[in-house]
Amino acid sequence: MDGGCCGPGYASPAEAIRAPREKLLYTIAIYTGTGIQKPDYLTTIDADPDSPTYSQVIHRLEMPGIGDELHHMGWNACSSCHDDSSMSRKYLLVPGVRSNNIHVVDTATDPRAPRLHKVIDGAEIKAKTNLSGPHTVHCLGSEIIISFLGDAKGEAPGGYLHLNKDFEIVGRWEASMGDIPFGYDFWYQPRHNVMVSSEWAAPNTFMPGFDLEEVGHLKYGRRLHIWNFEKREPVESMYLGEDGLIPLEVKFLHDPDSTHGFCGAALSSNVIHFWKNGDGKWEWEKVIDVENEPHPEWPIPVPGVMSAILVSMDDKYLYLNNWLHGDMRQYDISDPHNPKLTGQVWMGGLLGKAPQVNGVDVAGGPQMFQLSLDGRRLYVTTSLFSTWDNQFYPEIRQKGGVMVRIDCDPENGGMKINEDFIVDFGKEPNGPSRCHETRYPGGDCTSDIWL
């Protein structure tokens, strides 16, 4: 298959790397939990250095209600339907993790000023599927799968919502949840008939804030789950124990023939590498371990809290954050069993290494991030989840969130904060808001999967 196909996305990861650079960013901004009674909204940020409005918010699409807590989002179509000319990467699905509403946003009619196309009502989702707490959105050809963290009452394990291409509820995607205790993120590799899912906690547990004792009471996850993708059921669980406390983001390599993948365990601040061995068995190992750091105001050393990871489109680098420490890291994963640290920058965090970036006070630490398809630009935001923000970084209420751009060297490794780019969400028209996940109109390093 060549790059001249007619559907959305790209024929291969190599084609994606050669795509035009991003000129617009879509970034979630939230007022939920800030005390400001305004709707959460989707911002459009100008990322074109030649534009007079570069590094500015140029449009804000407010949601219809207040208190959604917009969190993660995903496209209606990606490279998984590259050969389908009837599909296009036109709609961004933006769920509210608290409201359960899924906002379908048209980004194609006017990419600079997206508009609301449809709202899938959260109450309808609860009534039809017994699900709440939407999280990860992936497209599968013309279908859409969304992980949910809880049942209608907010208890684990939740499950997966199945939507058709017209954004109608088909029902639950999974045939069975087996004995999976918690849900969170997921990624699939169709050529190996496998999906891997990770664990956070029940919405009723994490939404009020973080309580370390609840980890000891087994109210937070510590497993990865291997699924038979065609049968839509879990077939095996990998118990990570103390090395894998709160295993959040999970990513396969982009190469659709590979079985190698990684997961960031937030509380133990480790990266777990998993793969299928020559005998067809799944194995895992801890390959990165971030040490806890002493802090004068903490009774225990501060964990990094590695809440997100990302793999570059060429599968050469893994990026991770330490939200409480305040650093972003780049590792060369050419040998996935032996990652090598090749870059590190500081922004915010509790350790006081970089309280300011480009003249702006950073409240919070590096949290969500999105990498350009060519691997050269990493856009980083600072809010994790409203109640957790308020607990660990109370000053974020007054200062709001920040977006920073980090320039990355994909040839030799290395990272450097770009001095010409900063978006201060503390200066938003309705008061300080917080920024979370980012997507690009042309796809990004965490949305495209190849069949």
Side-chain angles (χ1 to χ4, degrees), residues 26 42 73-75 90-94 103-105 107 439:
Y26 299 129
L42 182 70
M73 52 184 169
W75 293 103
K90 180 176 180 180
Y91 297 106
L92 197 53
L93 283 82
V94 188
H103 309 89
V104 182
V105 175
T107 64
R439 296 282 181 200

Side-chain angles (χ1 to χ4, degrees), residues 113-260:
R115 59 189 69 176
L116 191 61
H117 171 71
K118 177 180 180 177
V119 178
I120 306 170
D121 183 60
E124 183 186 1
I125 294 170
K126 284 184 178 181
K128 289 185 174 177
T129 65
N130 189 32
L131 290 173
S132 75
H135 195 269
T136 301
V137 180
H138 275 305
C139 65
L140 170 61
S142 61
E143 309 284 288
I144 297 158
I145 312 171
I146 305 175
S147 64
F148 277 68
L149 307 186
D151 63 15
K153 294 179 179 176
E155 296 299 334
Y160 296 82
L161 176 68
H162 184 189
L163 301 175
N164 65 20
K165 64 181 180 181
D166 298 316
F167 312 114
E168 296 163 337
I169 297 171
V170 178
R172 295 275 283 257
W173 173 82
E174 79 280 4
S176 167
M177 288 295 286
D179 57 0
I180 289 178
F182 306 107
Y184 183 67
D185 196 20
F186 70 103
W187 193 281
Y188 61 90
Q189 252 342 18
R191 294 185 189 179
H192 296 281
N193 185 31
V194 67
M195 180 174 100
V196 173
S197 69
S198 62
E199 299 186 339
W200 191 7
N204 290 344
T205 299
F206 71 78
M207 282 192 179
F210 180 66
D211 181 349
L212 186 60
E213 283 191 4
E214 292 188 319
V215 177
H217 296 156
L218 305 183
K219 288 194 166 187
Y220 281 88
R222 50 186 75 189
R223 291 174 176 82
L224 291 176
H225 304 284
I226 308 293
W227 293 65
N228 181 315
F229 193 57
E230 290 171 2
K231 291 184 177 178
R232 305 184 181 188
E233 61 187 24
V235 292
E236 182 183 341
S237 292
M238 295 188 282
Y239 180 71
L240 310 175
E242 298 294 310
D243 284 334
L245 298 176
I246 316 186
L248 293 184
E249 294 211 339
V250 60
K251 308 282 184 264
F252 274 110
L253 296 186
H254 293 95
D255 174 3
D257 288 324
S258 175
T259 65
H260 290 273

Side-chain angles (χ1 to χ4, degrees), residues 265-308:
L267 185 59
S268 40
S269 302
N270 295 328
V271 173
I272 304 298
H273 166 228
F274 55 87
W275 72 99
K276 189 164 68 174
N277 68 20
D279 297 327
K281 305 284 189 199
W282 288 93
E283 297 189 56
W284 69 273
E285 63 187 350
K286 177 177 71 174
V287 289
I288 298 170
D289 188 344
V290 176
E291 294 292 328
N292 295 355
E293 295 281 347
H295 190 285
E297 295 169 21
W298 275 54
I300 58 170
V302 178
V305 180
M306 189 187 296
S307 48

Side-chain angles (χ1 to χ4, degrees), residues 49 56 183 232 419:
Q56 295 177 28
R232 305 184 181 188
E419 296 177 358

